[in-house]
Amino acid sequence: MTKKHSENSNLEGILRDRRILPTGQRLAVARVTLAEPRHMTAEQVHVAVQDSGDTASLATVYNTLKLFTERGLLREVIVEPGRVFYDSETRPHHHFYDVDSGKITDIPASQLALLALPEPPAGKAIADVQVIVRIGDAD
């Protein structure tokens, strides 16, 4: 069994476990986003899919990332309006966003303490808390 075939089998199982039909394009996006913990924009995923020899339109990449996020395989990290990263680490954690380089890095949840959270509106519950710490060159 080739490495790619074995990888596809593992990814197919992961997708099926989340009730996602493992099409060729979804597997291509999964190979790029789920192979290791990483933060990527949809455009970066699209380029990586193309560079790997697979094909998927940018619209298909966006739709697949949305589906993966809805099914809990990825987390959406909005660092500023119009700038979204997709994070393959779905356990609770926070992020540094370097405004100079555009890079995002993880902050373990244990390194940030929140004293209190506001009471959500009636009939609502807090689903997630993500803190983005913006950093830049110290000059």
Side-chain angles (χ1 to χ4, degrees):
M1 184 180 325
T2 67
K3 180 181 177 188
K4 189 169 183 175
H5 180 71
S6 173
E7 185 177 89
N8 276 348
S9 294
N10 291 341
L11 290 172
E12 283 180 23
I14 290 168
L15 296 183
R16 287 186 195 284
D17 285 349
R18 301 295 175 112
R19 300 176 326 279
I20 299 171
L21 180 65
T23 65
Q25 293 170 323
R26 288 174 179 165
L27 285 168
V29 171
R31 278 192 295 276
V32 169
T33 58
L34 303 177
E36 62 187 61
R38 56 193 331 181
H39 307 94
M40 299 178 79
T41 64
E43 292 78 9
Q44 291 169 330
V45 172
H46 183 245
V47 168
V49 166
Q50 304 301 330
D51 288 350
S52 74
D54 291 312
T55 58
S57 70
L58 184 56
T60 297
V61 169
Y62 270 105
N63 290 334
T64 302
L65 293 171
K66 181 177 187 257
L67 178 62
F68 286 8
T69 300
E70 289 170 350
R71 301 291 168 85
L73 291 173
L74 297 172
R75 285 177 66 182
E76 201 176 55
V77 181
I78 303 169
V79 296
E80 58 190 20
R83 184 108 167 115
V84 178
F85 286 86
Y86 294 88
D87 188 354
S88 58
E89 176 56 69
T90 58
R91 290 177 293 191
H93 65 286
H94 308 285
H95 296 97
F96 283 117
Y97 175 62
D98 188 320
V99 296
D100 298 317
S101 70
K103 294 195 187 281
I104 187 169
T105 53
D106 290 341
I107 302 171
S110 62
Q111 290 187 5
L112 187 109
L114 298 174
L115 297 177
L117 292 174
E119 193 66 35
K124 298 293 181 177
I126 294 174
D128 187 25
V129 174
Q130 293 185 40
V131 175
I132 311 270
V133 179
R134 286 168 175 55
I135 58 173
D137 292 338
D139 34 76

